[in-house]
Amino acid sequence: MTGSTKTPRETPRERYRQQVREEVKEKAWQQIAGSGASALSLNAIAKQMGMSGPALYRYFANRDELITELIRDAYRSLADAFLAVADAGAGRPALPELARVLRRWALADPHRYFLVYGTPVPGYHAPQDITGIASEMMSVLLDACAAAAPEPAPGAEAHAFEAHLADHRDWAEGHPDATPAVLRLAMTFWSRLHGTLSLELAGHFTGMGLDPALLFEAEVDTLTAR
Amino acid sequence: MTGSTKTPRETPRERYRQQVREEVKEKAWQQIAGSGASALSLNAIAKQMGMSGPALYRYFANRDELITELIRDAYRSLADAFLAVADAGAGRPALPELARVLRRWALADPHRYFLVYGTPVPGYHAPQDITGIASEMMSVLLDACAAAAPEPAPGAEAHAFEAHLADHRDWAEGHPDATPAVLRLAMTFWSRLHGTLSLELAGHFTGMGLDPALLFEAEVDTLTAR
DNA sequence: TTGTGTTCGTTAGAAGCTATAACCAGAATG
DNA sequence: CATTCTGGTTATAGCTTCTAACGAACACAA
């Protein structure tokens, strides 16, 4: 007795189903790594797995559902990397460490990065649970930013953007104590590092022979040193 | 006599050819604006122009050549916008003005922006003349950065990235007097603004209800105020 | 004006894709 | 044991890019 509940889990049928789905996604990642997400072919995957075309439609409703699943896994993978840092650092990871984890994750599979942060698919809207994963990451980031403590302003007036953040902080739900400066730091972290990473992975630096890692580190420094 | 040279220009045949090519590109931009570049269909364009499928192959060797042409035009358009600012500002445009031109250009046609700075096509390598256009833009940017004058350092040591830039400045050909700090400012400008713009255009800010323009302006401020 | 050759359009067709429909064998379940 | 559900098959529609073969219109030259 493996303690089967009323919900049809653990049945060997379902186990096999999940196994095939995982194999499909695995082949899909291989294809994406080679030719990008736009060239992903269900037919080719099926042929590669030794079965014929339409069989895959028993496991995924259509191409978009498969891609959505891949995007979800990508988010999950990045979020897990962030959470691992948070756990190791007792919930208050250092900002540079978080940045380096992000870059490592991006370089490990550039196509995966672009699946998350690249050119959006026109009709596509991320399902609810994916935005949930995104806010998990944001939560870790906000903790790290709070630890980085940008000083509660000695006497200088807050930036207009920080004033705006003081009024629009719904996205930082769960961090009611975060100052506008902390919120701004989080957005700046996200935006700046995405800027360098995106340009690097897209190959915009290759022609000019300079080291993207150094630009990245320089931007990280501007985030912490203040 | 319209002074026709040996090269077959101005012949009515060639004029018509160019006219059709332009119309094709026009329809292509319309399609891209609606469904993104990946969904661009030569067949649909031909049908829309009242002619049948393969006729377009008289004007473009294949789909990639058409897209390359669109990318080239996009670069040209952005470079022209930059050059216009440079001309108006007597060759020394203000950095915030340049930034605002960039944002305006990006918002005017997000898909065009992603064609230039979005997810790269796996096999694609930009032809030589496109990198030439890119360096035109970089030249304007470098002029603006030189005008922004980040001070030749009062006594503090240069950042590691600036040291690296002092050794790798081939991409700044034509600006031998630019200090490492100026070079760094240009790279930072490019990278940071691309970061915010890319996230904004991809819709990563929509769910959290904050104004991307304010983040953009905040980042512009960090570039100039120093 | 009468050839002659280039150019632009056509239709036909190959090869690929997504996705649906119809069908059939085997496993799970009553 | 019989029934149902599930996962595979082939056939097919409709879309795509792109090549091939052909015809008509135009440009140019004798």
Side-chain angles (χ1 to χ4, degrees):
Chain A
M1 320 299 184
T2 52
S4 65
T5 63
K6 275 283 167 55
T7 61
R9 299 232 182 283
E10 275 320 289
T11 145
R13 206 83 191 239
E14 194 66 19
R15 286 167 52 88
Y16 174 71
R17 184 178 179 78
Q18 290 304 326
Q19 190 174 324
V20 174
R21 279 176 67 97
E22 284 307 314
E23 189 177 346
V24 170
K25 290 199 278 183
E26 193 180 326
K27 306 291 184 191
W29 280 118
Q30 293 175 10
Q31 265 203 24
I32 287 179
S35 316
S38 62
L40 193 152
S41 157
L42 290 192
N43 238 328
I45 292 176
K47 212 169 293 181
Q48 198 177 349
M49 288 177 62
M51 54 186 184
S52 203
L56 291 197
Y57 288 81
R58 298 287 176 191
Y59 299 93
F60 297 91
N62 48 38
R63 213 185 91 121
D64 274 11
E65 188 185 294
L66 172 57
I67 292 187
T68 299
E69 199 84 358
L70 298 176
I71 293 178
R72 191 194 327 274
D73 287 359
Y75 267 98
R76 184 71 267 159
S77 149
L78 179 55
D80 286 347
F82 266 40
L83 289 173
V85 176
D87 286 352
R92 290 273 144 127
L95 220 45
E97 194 182 355
L98 216 53
R100 253 170 261 129
V101 164
L102 174 61
R103 182 156 189 269
R104 231 193 315 274
W105 183 84
L107 290 179
D109 192 342
H111 289 286
R112 184 178 56 179
Y113 183 88
F114 283 118
L115 212 51
V116 171
Y117 289 118
T119 308
V121 189
Y124 181 80
H125 274 287
Q128 203 61 38
D129 62 308
I130 285 190
T131 68
I133 300 176
S135 66
E136 282 183 47
M137 292 170 26
M138 187 56 83
S139 185
V140 175
L141 176 57
L142 283 171
D143 281 340
C145 288
E151 304 292 306
E157 52 192 328
H159 193 278
F161 182 49
E162 293 182 13
H164 180 253
L165 282 171
D167 282 350
H168 301 79
R169 44 184 310 146
D170 329 348
W171 57 276
E173 192 183 19
H175 293 73
D177 298 335
T179 67
V182 168
L183 300 181
R184 180 185 178 185
L185 181 57
M187 296 301 301
T188 307
F189 176 98
W190 190 21
S191 153
R192 283 189 195 170
L193 298 193
H194 167 64
T196 70
L197 281 178
S198 172
L199 290 179
E200 171 183 4
L201 298 180
H204 281 98
F205 297 149
T206 52
M208 49 182 82
L210 44 83
D211 186 359
L214 292 176
L215 171 60
F216 186 84
E217 283 301 324
E219 285 298 80
V220 171
D221 287 350
T222 66
L223 289 171
T224 103
R226 180 153 299 217
Chain B
M1 319 300 181
T2 52
S4 68
T5 63
K6 274 284 165 60
T7 61
R9 300 230 182 286
E10 273 322 286
T11 144
R13 207 84 193 236
E14 194 65 20
R15 285 167 54 87
Y16 174 70
R17 183 176 179 78
Q18 290 305 326
Q19 190 174 325
V20 173
R21 280 176 67 97
E22 284 306 314
E23 190 177 347
V24 170
K25 290 199 278 183
E26 193 179 327
K27 306 290 184 191
W29 280 118
Q30 294 175 10
Q31 265 203 23
I32 287 179
S35 316
S38 62
L40 193 152
S41 158
L42 290 192
N43 237 329
I45 292 175
K47 212 170 292 181
Q48 198 176 352
M49 288 178 62
M51 54 186 184
S52 205
L56 291 196
Y57 288 80
R58 299 285 176 193
Y59 300 93
F60 297 91
N62 49 36
R63 212 184 92 120
D64 274 11
E65 188 185 295
L66 171 57
I67 292 187
T68 298
E69 198 84 358
L70 296 176
I71 293 178
R72 193 196 325 274
D73 287 0
Y75 267 98
R76 184 70 269 160
S77 149
L78 178 55
D80 285 347
F82 267 40
L83 290 172
V85 176
D87 286 352
R92 290 275 144 127
L95 218 47
E97 194 181 357
L98 215 53
R100 254 170 260 129
V101 165
L102 173 61
R103 183 156 190 269
R104 231 194 314 274
W105 183 85
L107 290 180
D109 191 342
H111 289 286
R112 183 179 55 180
Y113 183 88
F114 283 117
L115 213 52
V116 171
Y117 289 117
T119 307
V121 188
Y124 180 79
H125 273 288
Q128 202 62 36
D129 62 310
I130 286 190
T131 69
I133 300 177
S135 67
E136 282 183 47
M137 292 169 26
M138 187 56 81
S139 186
V140 175
L141 175 57
L142 283 170
D143 282 339
C145 288
E151 303 293 306
E157 53 193 326
H159 192 279
F161 182 49
E162 292 180 12
H164 181 254
L165 282 170
D167 281 350
H168 302 79
R169 46 183 311 146
D170 329 348
W171 56 277
E173 191 184 21
H175 294 71
D177 299 335
T179 67
V182 168
L183 300 182
R184 178 185 179 185
L185 180 57
M187 295 300 300
T188 306
F189 175 99
W190 190 22
S191 154
R192 285 190 192 170
L193 299 194
H194 167 65
T196 71
L197 280 178
S198 173
L199 290 178
E200 171 182 3
L201 298 180
H204 281 100
F205 295 148
T206 52
M208 48 182 83
L210 44 83
D211 187 359
L214 291 177
L215 170 61
F216 186 85
E217 283 301 323
E219 285 298 80
V220 171
D221 287 350
T222 67
L223 290 171
T224 100
R226 180 155 300 224

